[in-house]
Amino acid sequence: MDKLTQEFTSLVSIDQFQERYQDNIGDGKYFGFPLEPIIKAEKRLLSSAEEKKIAYFSMEYGLATSFYNKFSSKLPLSPNNQMPENAVFSNSRVTDYFFALHANNIIDLPIYSGGLGVLAGDTVKTIADYKLPVVGIGILWNSGYFRQKFWYKYGQAPEKMQWDPSSYPGLIPLTTKVKISLKPEDVTLRLWKYYVYSHEHDYAIPLILLDSNLPENSSRARILTDQLYKSDNVWLKLLQRVILGFGGIAALNTLGYKIDLYHLNEGHAVFSFVDKARGLSAQEIEGLKKQFVYTCHTPVEAGHDKFSFENLNRVLKKEDVDVIEKFGSQGHDVANLTLLAMNISASTNAVSHNHQKVMHVQFPSYRDQISYVTNGVHSHTWISDNFKELFSKYPEQLPDVRNNPMILAKASSLNSNADFRKDLWLAHQANKDNFCRILEKWKLNKDVFTICWARRVAAYKRPSLILQDIDRLVKIAKEIGPMQIILAGKAHPNDNLGFTYINEMLDKVDRLNNNYDLLKIIVLENYDIFMGKILTSSVDVWLNNPLPPFEASGTSGMKAVLNGVLQMSTVDGWIAEATARKIGRFFGYQNAEGSVGNEMDLRMIEDSAKLYTALEEMVGLYYKTNNAGQVDYRSYWIDMMIECLCVGGEFNTYRMLDQYKKSVWKIS
Ligand SMILES: *Cc1c(COP(=O)(O)O)cnc(C)c1O
């Protein structure tokens, strides 16, 4: 064994190294990436040097490992780690019947469900780019989230997904295990590690993933880390959170990381505080609170976990429940993890300015401590290759977007540059053409107006708003111009309302079977990060129509603007900070300042009418710009595309992390 490998394996002891991993780790390489940055990062986290070392806790991570910093492996790709074939449900049902989509690629590390995970993944990647001493804590979900299948006349059928962690490139099991002490039984957790590299491959953040699927655990303990957000019973839901908190702290202790600050990405992770508080005096607990910071990600009721003390007492020891009772009680019988997190943290932040206002209404007595840091997206992950190439063609006006995406704010200086306007359009068309090829059998056309709604199917996001009145849609297509509408998203398996939406969407698409020449509606199965990257960079308009004020931030639109894709959106989340910018059309109901309203009152009729009016304008403008391939490069549409890029200079994770460093972590 060479010296570097020896040093690495002495810092990180890998289970079954000889049998499984030695072909991929050695000669200075870690699955094709340099080994040295890992050693550097590990040593830094283990040292007691005077710099603030941070543990970032999140229930989910969406790292886009299938296309960003993709590891190579000398082991053959396990069929279980290969992307599955996905069906398409369109209003050309015959085509759907004969064809499906293949992506000959590895699956993304399946430990995320949606936006929260992608945000955590983008955050950790940016931390690596900034070379900060941070370790991530998460869970190894043995069956991922779930795989979505569409069934004709039925809707979404969730299927269990199978994958193979032990041959997933870059993922290694450690010999170290930790035990957490619960009633009635202890649970042993295996630790896995994954390394999140910087884009220059000169630094890496270790991500520790906890796994209860071990033969020494009881069968009911083994399934705790099976499926992300599986909430069939309160026991599972509670124990998943306990594992993240208790298991995370136990892992940090066992591995010897010297942590000064704990970042709770959502209240899910708050049991880490309960673990740290064990055995401390009241005064020591006050000191401990200075080491915790908390980010809240949603105003939606279901996002704020509550557990009865009766249930907490069933699994936790009395002294742990006492801490929860002291800091997280909501009335007599119930603990609220959001209140607990706010009470034990030195800082609480919302994820957009709008969300801060909502939190101020929801938690008036915490008003003074709730700040906000608007979310962002990781530019290296989300800017398409065609756009990276475009930016590099204009080094004078856009120097080094690669290292500093904030430079994109200067794209407006290119507004009067005729070459740039044309190159921008062509880069977009190249992306769109690629997308049309993927759906070749469905005869998509790159000169037809294309709009997309794709995200988690949750009621407040109003997935079927654009399909509310299909006669009106047909009328717009006939009178103003043809349209291609792309829809995708998973509903949580226990979300009956979400299920109903998908059913309704498929049913309406089916009813438009006779209009395929003018109006193509494509519903894609099994929406994931890989598909998200293609969609956010390829369509003409990104549709976002949540019911205000329930979208705390939203991030998919940020991915789109980085690729010059226009926005059609209600005024909610991050968009409320960009409404003065000419990046598309904003429409729909807005809640009155100082009130939150009712998340069940979806206002479908009134807001769909406003959506259609906005759509008419956008379609009209599109065909003035692109008349069957004849392009008017002076068009206002292209002004808006350029303005999108400028906005992308702001809503990225570099700006976001600068704010976390300064006002939350206080390290710069
Ligand atoms: C970015 C992303 C999301 C978040 O979308 P929102 O617009 O914030 O709802 C969800 N899922 C995937 C796969 C994504 O890539």
Side-chain angles (χ1 to χ4, degrees), residues 30 46 163 171 267 276 405 459 575 588 644:
Y30 181 86
L46 292 166
W163 69 292
L171 187 61
K276 292 288 289 180
I575 284 283
C644 282

Side-chain angles (χ1 to χ4, degrees), residues 462-483:
R462 301 190 291 190
S464 61
L465 195 65
I466 194 171
L467 297 178
Q468 191 61 31
D469 180 351
I470 51 178
D471 296 334
R472 176 99 185 254
L473 265 185
V474 173
K475 190 162 177 274
I476 297 172
K478 272 192 186 139
E479 291 174 4
I480 307 182
M483 286 185 276

Side-chain angles (χ1 to χ4, degrees), residues 4 99 178 296 323 349 359 362 365 375 526 568 586-587 598-599 652:
L4 219 52
F99 302 102
V178 298
C296 178
V323 171
N349 73 278
M359 282 192 80
Q362 288 180 320
S365 53
N375 281 163
N526 208 35
M568 224 175 90
F586 307 113
F587 65 92
N598 176 359
E599 65 181 89
N652 60 67

Side-chain angles (χ1 to χ4, degrees), residues 112-115 118 382 454-456 461 527-529 532 542 544 551 554-557 559:
Y112 74 97
S113 77
V118 175
W382 297 105
R455 49 183 57 76
R456 274 188 314 114
K461 289 174 184 271
Y527 184 57
D528 61 8
I529 294 187
W542 194 255
N544 176 55
E551 189 66 87
T555 52
S556 58
K559 302 165 192 168

Side-chain angles (χ1 to χ4, degrees), residues 58 107 160 224 239 371 423 426 430 589:
S58 181
I107 52 164
K160 206 165 162 155
L224 290 172
L239 264 288
S371 61
D423 287 343
L426 293 179
Y589 159 83

Side-chain angles (χ1 to χ4, degrees), residues 33-65:
F33 281 50
L35 196 49
E36 243 179 301
I38 297 184
I39 297 173
K40 192 161 64 182
E42 289 284 357
K43 282 187 175 162
R44 207 167 151 198
L45 284 161
L46 292 166
S47 98
S48 35
E50 286 223 357
E51 61 174 346
K52 228 184 229 180
K53 291 174 279 293
I54 302 171
Y56 183 86
F57 280 70
S58 181
M59 200 69 150
E60 49 171 313
Y61 291 88
L63 291 160
T65 50

